[in-house]
Amino acid sequence: MPTLPMHRLSKLAPYFLSVLRIFAAGSFLTHGTMKLFSWPASFEYPLNPMLYTAGILEVVGGLLLLMGLFSRPTAFLLSGLMAFAYFIAHSSNSFFPVLNHGEAAMLYCFIFLYLSAAGPGVWSFDASRAQSRVG
């Protein structure tokens, strides 16, 4: 049985990083559009100032990350937002994320924290801007 040479996949890492950023940002964006625009479905809770602020950050931050523009500071800010959301809305219900329904917040928190350190990948406006400064 032939084995896949895994070291060859490392050449694709910058592209996979972009795919991770694009899909995470696109999914995250819909949390904000639900709160602010009732799309793709209505948000099930009434909006208070904290949820309204979260919705704005989710839409604006989600769009910036989707494009890969100002990715590192945006991802860092959104990571903090999701840590805050986890501890405010979920952790008091149970220690385990699977029981407190905080899995999405926890995963977004760490995906965004990773993106703040790793950058947006090659398919991003940030990468294009960096390339144009170099060459």
Side-chain angles (χ1 to χ4, degrees), residues 24 28 31-32 35 51 54-55 57-58 65 74-91 102-113:
F28 187 73
H31 289 274
K35 288 178 183 83
L51 286 173
L57 288 171
E58 289 163 351
L65 275 185
T74 300
F76 189 75
L77 176 73
L78 296 180
S79 176
L81 172 68
M82 288 295 93
F84 182 76
Y86 182 82
F87 287 108
I88 294 297
H90 300 285
S91 68
E103 288 175 298
M106 180 188 64
L107 286 171
Y108 281 127
C109 176
F110 286 103
I111 288 170
F112 294 152
L113 187 61

Side-chain angles (χ1 to χ4, degrees), residues 16-32:
F16 288 165
L17 179 59
S18 290
V19 170
L20 173 67
R21 174 187 49 80
I22 290 165
F23 277 88
S27 177
F28 187 73
L29 174 63
T30 62
H31 289 274

Side-chain angles (χ1 to χ4, degrees), residues 8-102:
R8 290 188 183 167
L9 283 177
S10 65
K11 294 177 184 175
L12 299 175
Y15 303 98
F16 288 165
L17 179 59
S18 290
V19 170
L20 173 67
R21 174 187 49 80
I22 290 165
F23 277 88
S27 177
F28 187 73
L29 174 63
T30 62
H31 289 274
T33 60
M34 281 179 67
K35 288 178 183 83
L36 300 180
F37 310 119
S38 296
W39 184 88
S42 296
F43 191 63
E44 60 185 289
Y45 303 106
L47 287 184
N48 58 34
M50 190 167 40
L51 286 173
Y52 185 73
T53 302
I56 292 170
L57 288 171
E58 289 163 351
V59 169
V60 173
L63 286 171
L64 287 171
L65 275 185
L66 192 62
M67 296 184 299
L69 185 61
F70 308 116
S71 300
R72 289 176 191 262
T74 300
F76 189 75
L77 176 73
L78 296 180
S79 176
L81 172 68
M82 288 295 93
F84 182 76
Y86 182 82
F87 287 108
I88 294 297
H90 300 285
S91 68
S92 63
N93 296 329
S94 171
F95 175 77
F96 299 101
V98 71
L99 298 177
N100 68 27
H101 306 287

